[in-house]
């Protein structure tokens, strides 16, 4: 068999495998829809404020990695605080190696119809409900947090976990935010 013919036979298999790796799963919540990477594993939300919850598995071969968590919070119309207040709270939960605050990276990533802001922080992370780090501080962590402005109220998607894993999942997080749109009406 010639090399050219062998390449033609192998190429569709490689392309099919690539398609499986980049496949997405549709998600619906409130009156919205979007998608998340297929590798993310849906979980039952731990509270009524969580509209979606996914486990983001560690990459194969990542020793000691506990995976990451992706959650979409919704607190109701007019609830959840301002963008600046949330950035200040998230920033207070992080410290750099020198013990000083970590500066967030803030980027506008929304669409004309649904404005959204992405906040990225990396360092030692102590998750808490309020200001300041919690009791369980973990090193080399990353938080991707969004504030998505919708007519129903703000959505707050967040992903936190090992920095390397979260950084590798950034494109999926951004695609989820940019893909948010009103859910298609169902026909009776």
């Amino acid at each position: 068999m010639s090399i050219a013919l062998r390449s033609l036979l192998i190429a569709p298999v490689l392309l099919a495998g690539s398609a499986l790796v980049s496949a997405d799963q549709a998600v619906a919540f409130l009156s919205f829809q979007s998608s998340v990477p297929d590798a993310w594993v849906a979980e039952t939300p731990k509270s009524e404020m969580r509209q979606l919850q996914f486990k983001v598995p560690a990459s194969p071969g990542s020793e000691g990695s506990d995976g990451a968590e992706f959650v979409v919070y919704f607190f109701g119309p007019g609830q959840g605080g301002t963008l600046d207040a949330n950035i200040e709270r998230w920033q207070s939960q992080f410290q750099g190696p020198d013990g000083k605050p970590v500066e967030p990276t803030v980027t506008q990533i929304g669409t004309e119809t649904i404005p959204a802001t992405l906040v990225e922080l990396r360092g030692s992370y102590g998750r808490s409900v309020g200001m300041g780090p919690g009791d369980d501080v973990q090193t080399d962590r990353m938080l991707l947090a969004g504030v998505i402005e919708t007519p129903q109220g703000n959505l707050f998607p967040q992903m936190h976990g090992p920095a390397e894993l979260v950084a590798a999942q950034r494109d999926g997080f951004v695609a989820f935010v940019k893909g948010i749109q009103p859910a298609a009406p169902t026909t009776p």
Side-chain angles (χ1 to χ4, degrees):
M1 181 181 318
S2 74
I3 294 174
L5 181 56
R6 189 175 313 153
S7 296
L8 287 174
L9 293 173
I10 294 172
V13 173
L14 294 175
L15 290 174
S18 298
L20 292 175
V21 169
S22 64
D24 290 337
Q25 54 184 314
V27 293
F29 57 101
L30 297 173
S31 63
F32 301 101
Q33 63 186 18
S34 190
S35 63
V36 298
D38 199 40
W40 297 7
V41 179
E43 296 182 328
T44 302
K46 294 179 185 174
S47 75
E48 290 180 13
M49 294 177 287
R50 293 178 174 213
Q51 296 299 307
L52 295 173
Q53 181 173 320
F54 286 82
K55 178 74 172 176
V56 181
S59 302
S62 299
E63 292 184 34
S65 182
D66 54 353
E69 181 180 58
F70 172 77
V71 176
V72 177
Y73 293 99
F74 178 71
F75 303 106
Q79 302 297 309
T82 66
L83 173 62
D84 289 339
N86 277 288
I87 291 172
E88 183 180 348
R89 181 173 50 80
W90 294 326
Q91 185 180 17
S92 76
Q93 297 170 353
F94 277 85
Q95 292 181 345
D98 57 2
K100 293 184 179 178
V102 174
E103 284 302 313
T105 300
V106 180
T107 312
Q108 299 303 314
I109 63 168
T111 63
E112 284 186 31
T113 54
I114 302 180
T117 304
L118 172 64
V119 179
E120 301 174 68
L121 290 153
R122 184 174 184 163
S124 294
Y125 180 50
R127 188 169 184 85
S128 67
V129 175
M131 295 293 285
D135 295 333
D136 185 23
V137 176
Q138 298 174 311
T139 59
D140 199 24
R141 304 303 265 194
M142 186 168 183
L143 172 70
L144 299 176
V147 178
I148 304 169
E149 302 170 36
T150 78
Q152 290 182 336
N154 290 345
L155 299 171
F156 300 91
Q158 295 184 14
M159 179 183 292
H160 67 89
E164 186 177 311
L165 174 60
V166 173
Q169 296 296 318
R170 184 184 186 279
D171 288 347
F173 184 93
V174 170
F176 168 83
V177 172
K178 288 184 173 185
I180 290 178
Q181 57 187 332
T186 56
T187 54

